[in-house]
Amino acid sequence: MNQNHLNPKDCLGNRYRILSIIGHGGMGAVYLAEDLKLRGKHWAIKESKENGQVKNFKKEAETLIQLNHPYLPNIVDYFPPNEKGLSYLVMDYIHGQNLAQKFKNMGNRLPFEKVIKYAIQICELLHYLHHHSKNPIIYRDLKPSNVMIDQQDNVRLIDFGISRRFGHHKQKDTVHLGTVGFAAPEQFEDKQTDHRTDLFNLGAMLYYFLTRGHYYTSSKSLQLQNIPFPMIQVIQRLLQFNPEDRYQDTLQVKRDLEKLQITEQSLDSPNNTSLEVSLQFEHKVIVVGNMYQGAGSTFTSIALARVFHHYKIKNALVEYPTNVSELYTLLNGEKTKPKQYEFLYDKYNSERWISNKLEWTTGYTTWYPLPLLNNTQLIKNGSHTEIDPLLFKIRKPIMIVDISNGWSHPSVQQLCNNADEICYVVDSIPTKFSAGISQDNLKIAMQLKQSGKNVHFIVNRDVNAMIRKLWNNTLPWYPSCYIPNFPFENVHEHIWKGKMVQDEKNIKGKLIEGLYPFISQIVPKSMLERQDNKMNRLRKWFQIQN
């Protein structure tokens, strides 16, 4: 070894044999090494010279060792400064190129759908970092050269040299760091950086890709051409000078990008003219819960899913961990679930997200029930940070989340903040509505309404016009729709037979009629009417043939 770097064939720690130099950084070189204990395994080894940066290098090692996310490299070893003042960090070797190289090799072009895909993955990772442990991690140096693209075409964020732990008690940063062209204004001023700094960095990077390599400066207006207007709106909001005017939550950025992704996918399928492909309304998250126990949130959630199915709109029904497992039994899971099916919340304990190709699907509805032996630890700890990333990986135009009686749970409150529609299910028994828990839930509904959320009452087991009028006078605002009261024995007969009562012909028709006023607020009426007209024509054709 010489004083400045390792040479090919040198061996670090009697285990890592250097093969080549694969890059240079401000603190030292990056090497490709083979593992002498694990034959065939290659690692990247990052070097730091003792030039005042060793403290940062050690902090980077300590930070990365604590993290576990599919879009981050794993750290396997660390060597503190040796007699020559050289430190080494051993991490995953990522086969691929960084986004700066990929962008340049493609002639300063990156397909719009790739920009959205990578941005969504970065949002997932930033959300993880910003909610890590008690002290969020602010990355502060998001730029194309720090984003690797692996062989699976997924992002891997590298170089945590200037990341920092966020402390609410701090009024400013100790040092001002960032890359010109991508850094937020507060990174060069006497101010504190926070999660919104990373969001500005993301906006600057999106601007760079969509303008074929131009850097954003606050002195000129956005120069975006031939870009969908919703994307321009996202970038404008990310690049606001004042952090208070930017997005305040990474998941909201992700959801707005996913809306664009859905539209792009629909436009890329010219041969499929069904409603599910031409669907270009925004991605919707609908939270459904009981005003009081037994009001029927699960029945209502399934009913909504099957009405969306009727209109050929892809949807997902998620049974939230605040529930007692019920959906699995109602779906007759022992017979109907796919073999090798992996429950959604089992993925919480997985080291990486595994795309479930064996989706549990009935028509246009994909089911995400809780397992019968549910590990409730996920919800007991009161944290939404482990749950939300799983939910927002579900790629369906409509996502229905049944939270049952969980309105007061912190994770549900965060879920409601990110939801588009919030539905409280009530039934026709007034005594339950006056109970204490009902009044507590009503207060939550009022608060959500006052914050600008779309809050609905859905009346289940509607009896007659007189009861309906009483409900209208009792609730603080009119219900959005009414589900008829179906005979108790009819419903339970289907459950015992392992059949979905919501798909029974007579019941299904009444559900469509009852839920239509609410559904038409979610999906443009023109789309619903078009599908109804199409089905009426088919029905008449079959009648003529028979």
Side-chain angles (χ1 to χ4, degrees), residues 286-305 317 323 326 400-407 416 421-434 437-439 441-442 444-445 448 454-462 471 475-486 502 511 515 518:
I286 305 171
V287 175
V288 182
N290 294 317
M291 179 61 77
Y292 37 78
Q293 190 168 2
S297 69
T298 299
F299 180 90
T300 302
S301 297
I302 298 174
L304 283 168
L317 174 53
N323 292 23
E326 184 179 8
I400 304 161
V401 185
D402 177 15
I403 58 101
S404 186
N405 308 306
W407 293 110
C416 289
E421 313 292 334
I422 301 167
C423 302
Y424 282 77
V425 181
V426 298
D427 66 12
S428 57
I429 303 176
T431 54
K432 293 182 179 179
F433 189 70
S434 60
I437 187 65
S438 302
Q439 295 305 303
N441 289 336
L442 184 59
I444 296 173
L448 289 168
N454 296 329
V455 184
H456 307 265
F457 293 114
I458 295 180
V459 176
N460 187 29
R461 308 184 188 103
D462 180 39
W471 267 124
L475 298 172
W477 56 88
Y478 277 12
S480 294
C481 60
Y482 303 84
I483 297 176
N485 184 37
F486 299 108
Q502 289 85 349
L511 288 175
L515 289 169
F518 172 71

Side-chain angles (χ1 to χ4, degrees), residues 7 30 109 114 148 172 316 326 341 347 360 375 378 399 401 435 526 545:
N7 291 314
V30 180
R109 292 178 182 272
K114 291 289 187 183
M148 295 291 294
K172 60 182 181 179
E326 184 179 8
Y341 179 75
K347 300 174 190 293
W360 188 347
N375 179 6
L378 182 65
M399 181 167 69
V401 185
S526 58
Q545 296 302 309

Side-chain angles (χ1 to χ4, degrees), residues 116 120 124 251-265 282-283 285 391-396:
I116 296 177
I120 288 173
E124 292 174 7
L251 285 182
Q252 184 59 53
V253 184
K254 178 176 180 286
R255 289 184 50 213
D256 285 351
L257 291 170
E258 286 178 328
K259 295 170 186 176
L260 281 157
Q261 190 178 51
I262 291 171
T263 302
E264 281 294 303
Q265 291 172 350
E282 295 181 343
H283 172 68
V285 176
L391 293 183
F392 286 93
K393 286 179 181 290
I394 297 173
R395 305 276 198 240
K396 304 295 177 186

Side-chain angles (χ1 to χ4, degrees), residues 32-253:
L32 174 63
E34 64 175 340
D35 195 318
L36 297 181
K37 290 185 179 179
L38 302 174
R39 295 293 180 180
K41 181 66 176 178
H42 289 164
W43 303 103
I45 298 180
K46 188 176 179 180
E47 176 186 71
S48 175
K49 301 176 184 177
E50 192 170 26
N51 57 358
Q53 298 293 339
V54 172
K55 185 177 179 181
N56 280 345
F57 191 70
K58 183 179 179 182
K59 184 189 73 171
E60 178 182 5
E62 292 172 345
T63 298
L64 285 169
I65 287 171
Q66 298 176 39
L67 303 177
N68 180 18
H69 194 277
Y71 300 146
L72 290 176
N74 292 312
I75 303 300
V76 296
D77 215 339
Y78 172 68
F79 294 86
N82 58 23
E83 69 279 0
K84 296 179 180 179
L86 297 172
S87 303
Y88 296 96
L89 196 59
V90 184
M91 63 183 72
D92 285 339
Y93 171 61
I94 303 168
H95 297 268
Q97 55 185 341
N98 65 45
L99 265 178
Q101 297 167 329
K102 187 178 182 72
F103 185 63
K104 182 178 179 180
N105 293 341
M106 297 181 71
N108 279 10
R109 292 178 182 272
L110 202 60
F112 184 67
E113 63 273 13
K114 291 289 187 183
V115 174
I116 296 177
K117 174 185 175 178
Y118 298 148
I120 288 173
Q121 292 182 346
I122 290 170
C123 284
E124 292 174 7
L125 176 54
L126 289 178
H127 178 77
Y128 170 77
L129 296 175
H130 295 167
H131 293 84
H132 184 264
S133 188
K134 294 180 180 179
N135 296 315
I137 295 173
I138 313 302
Y139 182 68
R140 301 197 301 173
D141 200 22
L142 186 60
K143 58 185 178 181
S145 59
N146 280 349
V147 181
M148 295 291 294
I149 304 300
D150 64 20
Q151 290 182 313
Q152 288 72 45
D153 197 36
N154 293 321
V155 303
R156 300 286 289 276
L157 194 61
I158 59 174
D159 199 348
F160 275 68
I162 70 167
S163 66
R164 65 182 285 267
R165 295 279 185 175
F166 177 74
H168 291 282
H169 62 283
K170 295 182 180 180
Q171 299 300 315
K172 60 182 181 179
D173 287 346
T174 306
V175 292
H176 305 152
L177 293 170
T179 302
V180 175
F182 300 102
E186 60 268 22
Q187 289 181 267
F188 301 112
E189 298 180 356
D190 196 27
K191 297 179 181 178
Q192 180 178 215
T193 53
D194 61 19
H195 66 284
R196 297 168 297 186
T197 303
D198 285 341
L199 296 183
F200 185 98
N201 298 162
L202 174 62
M205 195 167 74
L206 293 177
Y207 183 87
Y208 177 81
F209 289 136
L210 296 175
T211 58
R212 298 193 63 184
H214 292 281
Y215 297 103
Y216 172 75
T217 62
S218 57
S219 61
K220 62 182 180 181
S221 60
L222 295 181
Q223 303 294 318
L224 295 170
Q225 298 178 351
N226 301 320
I227 301 298
F229 182 66
M231 185 63 163
I232 295 176
Q233 289 180 308
V234 170
I235 295 175
Q236 284 178 329
R237 190 172 172 186
L238 287 168
L239 292 176
Q240 290 297 308
F241 184 89
N242 187 347
E244 297 296 329
D245 297 329
R246 297 174 201 157
Y247 282 95
Q248 302 299 299
D249 182 79
T250 313
L251 285 182
Q252 184 59 53
V253 184

